[in-house]
Amino acid sequence: MADITRRLGWRHLRSAPTSHIRHHRKGHLAHDGAGLSFWFRPLTAALSEVPVNDRELAMVFHARTSDFQDVTLQATVTYRISEPATAAARLDFSVDPDTGAWRGAPLEQLATLLTETAQQHALDILARTPLSAALVDGVSSVRERITAGLTDEPRLPATGIEVVAVRVVAVRPEAEVERALRTPAREQIQQEADRATYERRAVAVQRERAIAENELASKIELARQEEQLVDQHGINARRKAEENAAADAVRAAAEAARTVRLAGAEAQAAREVGEARAQAQAAWLRVHADADTATLHALAAGRLAENLPRIDSLTLSPDVLTGLLAKLGRPAADAS
């Protein structure tokens, strides 16, 4: 909307760059262009403001497919007024010189024209398309048909309208039909999910079994190694016992040989000592064999005295002394 200010019976209009202003004064075109700013008298001025920017028109309408199923179409048409003079001549874009507001509703008229034209072509193609095809390829086919229909519509160029783009957002069936159509797909998706779950569980079971087998193999290997270790310990113990026994046998043999040698040496020494004693005894006997009886008695008494304990005092009675002297004197008498 143009910005209009008042000054002493005059009006000043200032428009936006996206608005095309046409100013007629006394039936003649005084100003024509976008983004104008000028003074005018309201009593002699006729003003028109035509927007020249791109505008989007959203539309929603219902249609029926060839298999008698209701669908809802959502689309957006982008357009602009490429010929403002033509549009101002065909539609009422006049504005109030005091407020700058449109006197009519030109954009609503354009929206009605575009919506009815697009709806006509959309209904035409959907009426010859089954629901399944409309849901699969309906967006692209309806968009192409609406674009072609608006491009070929003669009223739009005659009104100065140029269609920039057409977008079809969705072609949707009724809620009940949509739920019915979703059911097989949901069941298939659920089946795929269940199959994926089962496969995942199967893989998990296989992995667990592989882990259990690996653990069992590890335990078996460990037991086998322990068995080998026990056998090796036994072999080592037997070998150690054998070596100890051999060492003991060697020591026993050496000790026995030593004992035998010692015994032989002792026996030899004993024999030699015995022979020496025997020889000494024989010599002693030979010496004593040549001695007289008195001498032998004296020697016996001396030996007896050597072997007797120490005698501090000895008392000899006259009887004993007399008998001893008699015995000592008898051998002399016998000898004479």
Side-chain angles (χ1 to χ4, degrees):
M1 184 176 65
D3 184 12
I4 298 177
T5 57
R6 301 179 182 184
R7 291 292 187 275
L8 299 176
W10 287 82
R11 303 291 186 271
H12 183 268
L13 183 143
R14 184 176 58 191
S15 63
T18 57
S19 297
H20 188 94
I21 302 298
R22 291 176 62 84
H23 173 212
H24 289 80
R25 186 174 55 233
K26 295 181 180 181
H28 298 285
L29 185 62
H31 297 90
D32 187 14
L36 298 181
S37 178
F38 54 87
W39 291 91
F40 66 93
R41 288 182 175 273
L43 298 178
T44 59
L47 302 174
S48 298
E49 182 182 6
V50 181
V52 294
N53 59 328
D54 291 350
R55 307 183 72 87
E56 292 187 353
L57 175 62
M59 55 185 69
V60 177
F61 49 85
H62 298 278
R64 179 169 294 181
T65 60
S66 61
D67 49 359
F68 306 102
Q69 298 296 326
D70 293 334
V71 294
T72 300
L73 178 66
Q74 298 178 4
T76 301
V77 176
T78 303
Y79 70 95
R80 66 169 173 262
I81 300 175
S82 57
E83 298 180 5
T86 303
R90 298 293 299 270
L91 300 174
D92 185 11
F93 284 95
S94 61
V95 297
D96 189 337
D98 293 329
T99 61
W102 279 317
R103 296 179 184 272
L107 295 181
E108 294 180 2
Q109 296 178 4
L110 286 179
T112 301
L113 175 61
L114 292 172
T115 301
E116 291 179 353
T117 304
Q119 184 175 2
Q120 178 182 356
H121 295 287
L123 294 177
D124 182 55
I125 189 173
L126 289 175
R128 294 183 284 106
T129 304
L131 178 62
S132 58
L135 296 178
V136 175
D137 300 326
V139 173
S140 59
S141 60
V142 170
R143 182 181 63 249
E144 293 175 357
R145 183 59 181 274
I146 292 176
T147 301
L150 293 178
T151 303
D152 297 336
E153 178 62 38
R155 291 184 299 173
L156 298 181
T159 314
I161 305 300
E162 178 184 357
V163 177
V164 177
V166 176
R167 299 188 303 275
V168 177
V169 179
V171 178
R172 301 186 61 179
E174 293 183 347
E176 297 179 357
V177 177
E178 187 174 4
R179 284 195 297 270
L181 293 175
R182 287 179 179 177
T183 301
R186 287 182 176 178
E187 292 180 354
Q188 184 177 1
I189 293 173
Q190 186 63 38
Q191 293 176 0
E192 294 292 336
D194 294 340
R195 182 165 57 253
T197 302
Y198 297 151
E199 292 177 355
R200 185 170 59 253
R201 290 179 179 176
V203 172
V205 171
Q206 292 178 359
R207 291 179 179 177
E208 291 179 356
R209 183 172 61 188
I211 293 172
E213 291 177 355
N214 292 334
E215 292 179 352
L216 181 59
S218 300
K219 291 180 179 179
I220 294 174
E221 180 64 21
L222 182 60
R224 186 179 63 81
Q225 293 179 0
E226 290 179 354
E227 182 180 1
Q228 293 179 356
L229 182 60
V230 171
D231 294 340
Q232 188 64 38
H233 280 313
I235 293 172
N236 295 338
R238 286 194 298 272
R239 184 176 299 173
K240 185 175 181 180
E242 292 174 357
E243 291 179 354
N244 292 333
D248 293 339
V250 172
R251 286 194 298 270
E255 187 67 22
R258 179 175 174 275
T259 303
V260 170
R261 288 194 300 271
L262 290 175
E266 291 178 354
Q268 183 65 27
R271 284 195 298 271
E272 293 178 354
V273 170
E275 291 176 355
R277 288 180 178 178
Q279 292 176 2
Q281 188 69 27
W284 185 80
L285 291 175
R286 285 193 301 270
V287 171
H288 285 77
D290 296 335
D292 55 1
T293 305
T295 302
L296 294 175
H297 286 168
L299 291 173
R303 181 65 57 87
L304 179 62
E306 291 177 357
N307 293 326
L308 288 175
R310 180 180 178 182
I311 300 174
D312 293 334
S313 63
L314 177 63
T315 301
L316 296 176
S317 64
D319 295 335
V320 175
L321 183 59
T322 301
L324 180 60
L325 292 176
K327 290 180 179 180
L328 290 174
R330 190 179 297 127
D334 293 338
S336 62

